[in-house]
């Protein structure tokens, strides 16, 4: 028994894990273990030997059991320590930045224009991108065989449906809604589609922001005033502006507004194709036919309208040399304009 005790204690002492300890427990204290054997064999001993051997066997058993418990506690504590060590967090390390999305530059430009015009008393209107021929052309004084339809090459879906080529049809929708009673003062942003060949300043899908103001006594000078406020707000007081006479079937008279080129300051570069100017919007006084077709009396009401390209505005404002950057989703391009 004494030898057994020594062997057991050494075994327990050298156990390196809980599994080895469990094995020692089974080996020394299990049902088939040596101590159980000794206790089972007590009947064969003489009456003098029995109490001596019995006591010793019990003591050895208790001692071994106690040591196993001690060792178990020790091993478990070590395990916890090891786990804590491996899960340690270094709170002094610099944090990792989480990448967040942000507004697309075009969205920001549109919001900036909307904010300005809301400040001038305009409200926001939207219309469908798949549009009826009537609203895209006819209601804008462009009957079926009008040659000016060629000014905007269109994606037709059926004879009567097309992808809208401009945001001007929202003018007709909005005027109809007002049933001949002004004032109407709206800004209409949205996507438009044309069969244009893509190049540095043209895209087959782009955006427009339409403006419409119809009331008693609205004059061309009101249009000029509003566009001047807009241009100074968006580009700064130092940028030059020019209005050129132009033609749109839905306005009379019609103008186009150019802004001096951001890149070359008016000396000619690939952005302005050498002209020194970049066209950003078309405008004019709403044609009497357009007012009449949408239920307004042109003898009572007059109005101005304009349609601008936010891509061109962004290009001028930030010196972006190619319109295709807006639509090719290169994150390195977009990241330069991260704003909240
Ligand atoms: C129009 O679309 C008229 N509806 C604008 C208008 C509205 C005139 C109200 C009068 C009254 P235009 O085709 O010129 O006009 O286009 C207007 C603006 O859209 C242009 O000045 C330009 O900034 C932008 N734009 C036109 N075509 C493209 C294109 N392919 N890619 C990018 N921007 C374009």
């Amino acid at each position: 028994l004494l030898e057994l005790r020594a062997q057991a204690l050494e075994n327990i002492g050298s156990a390196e894990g809980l599994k080895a300890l469990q094995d020692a427990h089974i080996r020394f204290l299990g049902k088939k273990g040596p101590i159980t054997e000794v206790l089972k064999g007590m009947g064969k001993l003489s009456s003098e030997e029995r109490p001596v051997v019995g006591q010793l066997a019990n003591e050895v058993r208790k001692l071994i059991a106690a040591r196993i418990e001690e060792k178990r506690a020790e091993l478990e504590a070590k395990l916890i320590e090891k786990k804590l060590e491996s899960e340690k967090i270094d709170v002094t390390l610099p944090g990792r930045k989480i990448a967040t999305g942000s507004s697309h530059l075009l969205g920001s430009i549109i919001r900036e224009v909307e904010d300005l015009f809301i400040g001038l008393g305009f409200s926001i209107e939207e219309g469908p991108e798949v549009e009826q021929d009537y609203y895209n052309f006819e209601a804008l004084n462009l009957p079926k065989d009008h040659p000016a339809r060629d000014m905007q090459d269109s994606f037709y879906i059926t004879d009567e449906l097309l992808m809208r080529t401009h945001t001007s049809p929202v003018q007709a929708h909005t005027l109809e809604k007002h049933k001949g009673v002004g004032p109407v003062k709206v800004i209409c942003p949205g996507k438009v589609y044309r069969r244009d060949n893509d190049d540095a300043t043209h895209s087959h899908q782009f955006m427009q922001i339409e403006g419409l103001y119809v009331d008693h006594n609205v004059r061309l000078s009101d249009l000029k005033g509003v566009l001047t406020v807009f241009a100074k707000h968006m580009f700064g007081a130092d940028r030059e502006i020019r209005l050129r006479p132009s033609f749109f079937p839905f306005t009379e008279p019609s103008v186009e507004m150019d802004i001096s080129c951001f890149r070359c300051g008016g000396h000619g570069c690939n952005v302005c194709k050498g002209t020194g100017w970049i066209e950003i919007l078309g405008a004019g006084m709403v044609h009497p036919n357009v007012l009449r077709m949408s239920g307004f009396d042109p003898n009572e009401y007059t109005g101005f309208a304009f349609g601008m390209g936010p891509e061109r505005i962004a290009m001028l404002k930030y010196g972006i040399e190619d319109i295709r950057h807006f639509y090719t989703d290169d994150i390195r391009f977009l990241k330069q304009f991260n704003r909240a």
Side-chain angles (χ1 to χ4, degrees):
L1 274 168
L2 291 177
E3 204 179 302
L4 194 69
R5 184 177 68 181
Q7 211 186 339
L9 294 186
E10 205 212 300
N11 233 289
I12 294 163
S14 65
E16 280 188 0
L18 289 171
K19 175 80 176 67
L21 196 63
Q22 186 64 16
D23 289 346
H25 185 111
I26 292 166
R27 176 135 49 94
F28 294 105
L29 301 180
K31 274 185 202 150
K32 288 176 189 156
I35 293 180
T36 315
E37 289 298 311
V38 170
L39 290 172
K40 267 191 206 160
M42 293 285 280
K44 289 178 201 148
L45 296 176
S46 65
S47 54
E48 296 90 57
E49 281 174 316
R50 213 175 289 151
V52 183
V53 173
Q55 199 189 349
L56 186 60
N58 270 325
E59 274 173 18
V60 169
R61 195 179 49 134
K62 270 194 207 153
L63 181 71
I64 293 173
R67 279 294 162 82
I68 286 176
E69 272 323 298
E70 256 173 48
K71 185 72 182 183
R72 189 191 308 280
E74 191 186 306
L75 286 175
E76 278 173 355
K78 261 195 197 150
L79 265 182
I80 289 174
E81 212 173 282
K82 218 168 143 191
K83 203 167 167 209
L84 284 175
E85 186 66 29
S86 71
E87 288 175 2
K88 204 159 90 178
I89 294 169
D90 184 352
V91 293
T92 64
L93 278 176
R96 251 174 255 152
K97 223 179 164 188
I98 297 169
T100 49
S102 61
S103 291
H104 191 280
L105 175 57
L106 280 180
S108 306
I109 291 278
I110 288 171
R111 227 163 300 127
E112 198 175 337
V113 175
E114 282 177 356
D115 282 351
L116 171 72
F117 280 96
I118 285 170
L120 297 174
F122 287 70
S123 56
I124 313 294
E125 277 289 332
E126 283 181 355
E129 285 174 30
V130 176
E131 187 55 278
Q132 295 169 46
D133 182 276
Y134 174 79
Y135 287 104
N136 197 81
F137 290 126
E138 274 179 63
L140 299 172
N141 203 28
L142 274 148
K144 282 264 194 252
D145 297 320
H146 199 290
R149 282 191 177 211
D150 292 347
M151 286 166 75
Q152 303 175 357
D153 243 344
S154 322
F155 290 114
Y156 271 92
I157 295 166
T158 67
D159 279 352
E160 291 303 321
L161 281 181
L162 73 160
M163 302 308 291
R164 68 177 174 192
T165 56
H166 51 177
T167 44
S168 299
V170 188
Q171 286 188 36
H173 285 293
T174 309
L175 288 173
E176 273 187 2
K177 267 194 250 169
H178 279 78
K179 297 189 189 319
V181 185
V184 178
K185 219 173 170 188
V186 292
I187 285 290
C188 327
K191 290 187 186 130
V192 302
Y193 304 81
R194 282 187 203 178
R195 286 174 46 189
D196 279 348
N197 288 326
D198 291 0
D199 63 21
T201 53
H202 292 82
S203 172
H204 60 281
Q205 182 260 297
F206 58 101
M207 302 209 51
Q208 283 191 340
I209 306 176
E210 192 84 6
L212 173 69
Y213 177 30
V214 172
D215 204 348
H216 302 290
N217 294 321
V218 177
R219 292 161 302 179
L220 186 68
S221 54
D222 296 316
L223 170 66
K224 200 173 169 190
V226 165
L227 291 181
T228 306
V229 168
F230 158 76
K232 287 197 188 304
H233 174 86
M234 293 305 285
F235 303 106
D238 56 336
R239 193 56 59 85
E240 281 186 73
I241 291 156
R242 71 176 186 189
L243 291 183
R244 275 181 294 112
S246 184
F247 170 76
F248 298 102
F250 31 91
T251 46
E252 182 57 40
S254 303
V255 295
E256 267 176 314
M257 184 168 105
D258 297 341
I259 294 199
S260 57
C261 181
F262 179 93
R263 252 300 196 58
C264 61
H267 296 292
C269 69
N270 62 337
V271 177
C272 59
K273 297 205 179 108
T275 63
W277 297 93
I278 186 162
E279 163 206 327
I280 63 157
L281 63 84
M285 300 306 291
V286 181
H287 197 290
N289 287 350
V290 172
L291 290 171
R292 205 175 292 118
M293 274 186 278
S294 296
F296 275 73
D297 180 356
N299 295 318
E300 201 185 330
Y301 286 102
T302 51
F304 67 67
F306 56 84
M308 64 177 86
E311 287 89 351
R312 303 260 173 99
I313 294 171
M315 288 168 85
L316 272 170
K317 206 168 151 116
Y318 297 107
I320 297 161
E321 82 289 0
D322 197 316
I323 196 169
R324 288 166 288 204
H325 285 311
F326 295 111
Y327 295 106
T328 42
D329 286 342
D330 184 337
I331 211 88
R332 292 167 304 178
F333 168 77
L334 296 172
K335 262 191 177 165
Q336 300 175 84
F337 306 101
N338 271 2
R339 297 192 287 187

